[in-house]
Amino acid sequence: MQPEKVQLMSALSTYDIAYKSLENGDHKLQFTVNQEFFDSIEGDLILGGNLIANLDIHKTEQMLQLHFDINGTIRAVCDVCLDEFDYPIEDAEGDLVVKFGDHYEELSEELYMIDEADEVINVAQWIYEFIAVTLPIRMEHPEDENGNPTCNPEMLAKVNEYMVDEDNNAANDEDAIDPRWAALKDLMDKK
């Protein structure tokens, strides 16, 4: 195994839960989600961040019920100006049920089976997914108190330089219509 891969795996071992050693009942755990976490996880949606993931666990003989509650900020790229910025994550929550069985299987988005011979379960990927699903489709810098964009002004100027003026473009398209089609259009308009 490559040294880099071993180091990444050990960074994610922080998110291991030794569930076999837990008594039946309720348990609370807290994880710090930082730059090392985002460097170790596969995904390019989030560049970094500083969050706290609270995990409530209810353990029975047959399963674990997990409730995640994640808060903090992530580092993302603005889809408008391409600058990095901090985006707040508030109450990214999710519930999962993990049943004990004889193999690993994802039964649905909220229901998993794990091999009860395993002694630990790693929750890093689930933490990442609960953060990712709270993100908007389009990431943008927030507006200031006056409603003005806080994007990089140089990049906004460049974007505006290449924007197409829809009204002017439509007028030019009408002027460019082949006269034969224009005559047909006039016939259709008269009906």
Side-chain angles (χ1 to χ4, degrees), residues 99-107 111-115:
K99 297 178 99 178
F100 307 135
D102 58 358
H103 64 283
Y104 177 85
E105 184 178 354
E106 182 177 345
L107 301 168
L111 181 61
Y112 293 83
M113 181 183 296
I114 61 171
D115 189 341

Side-chain angles (χ1 to χ4, degrees), residues 120-182:
V120 297
I121 183 171
N122 187 287
V123 296
Q125 187 63 39
W126 291 326
I127 291 171
Y128 181 83
E129 289 173 10
F130 285 127
I131 295 168
V133 298
T134 65
L135 300 179
I137 293 172
R138 182 177 166 102
M139 295 293 290
E140 294 182 43
H141 278 93
E143 294 179 343
D144 66 13
E145 61 277 351
N146 299 324
N148 299 318
T150 57
C151 285
N152 178 334
E154 291 174 17
M155 185 59 88
L156 285 180
K158 201 55 128 169
V159 168
N160 287 333
E161 182 181 323
Y162 291 102
M163 292 295 291
V164 175
D165 182 6
E166 293 294 325
D167 295 332
N168 192 21
N169 201 25
N172 287 339
D173 284 348
E174 285 180 19
D175 293 341
I177 294 177
D178 186 328
R180 295 170 289 185
W181 290 113

Side-chain angles (χ1 to χ4, degrees), residues 12 43 50 62 65 76 79 90 97 101 110 117 128 131 138 147-148 150 177:
L12 292 179
N50 193 10
Q62 296 84 22
Q65 294 173 313
D79 290 330
E90 297 174 0
V97 174
E110 301 89 23
Y128 181 83
I131 295 168
R138 182 177 166 102
N148 299 318
T150 57
I177 294 177

Side-chain angles (χ1 to χ4, degrees), residues 36-111:
E36 186 178 23
F37 172 87
F38 291 106
D39 289 345
S40 302
I41 202 113
E42 289 187 26
D44 56 359
L45 186 63
I46 302 169
L47 303 176
N50 193 10
L51 303 106
I52 298 295
N54 292 302
L55 177 59
D56 294 328
I57 303 171
H58 180 75
K59 181 184 178 199
T60 67
E61 291 294 324
Q62 296 84 22
M63 68 180 152
L64 297 171
Q65 294 173 313
L66 307 174
H67 175 75
F68 294 84
D69 184 19
I70 306 164
N71 293 283
T73 59
I74 61 155
R75 195 83 182 140
V77 174
C78 178
D79 290 330
V80 176
C81 70
L82 303 178
D83 275 358
E84 292 181 16
F85 72 105
D86 290 330
Y87 183 83
I89 301 294
E90 297 174 0
D91 298 323
E93 293 186 87
D95 294 304
L96 297 173
V97 174
V98 180
K99 297 178 99 178
F100 307 135
D102 58 358
H103 64 283
Y104 177 85
E105 184 178 354
E106 182 177 345
L107 301 168
S108 73
E109 289 183 13
E110 301 89 23
L111 181 61

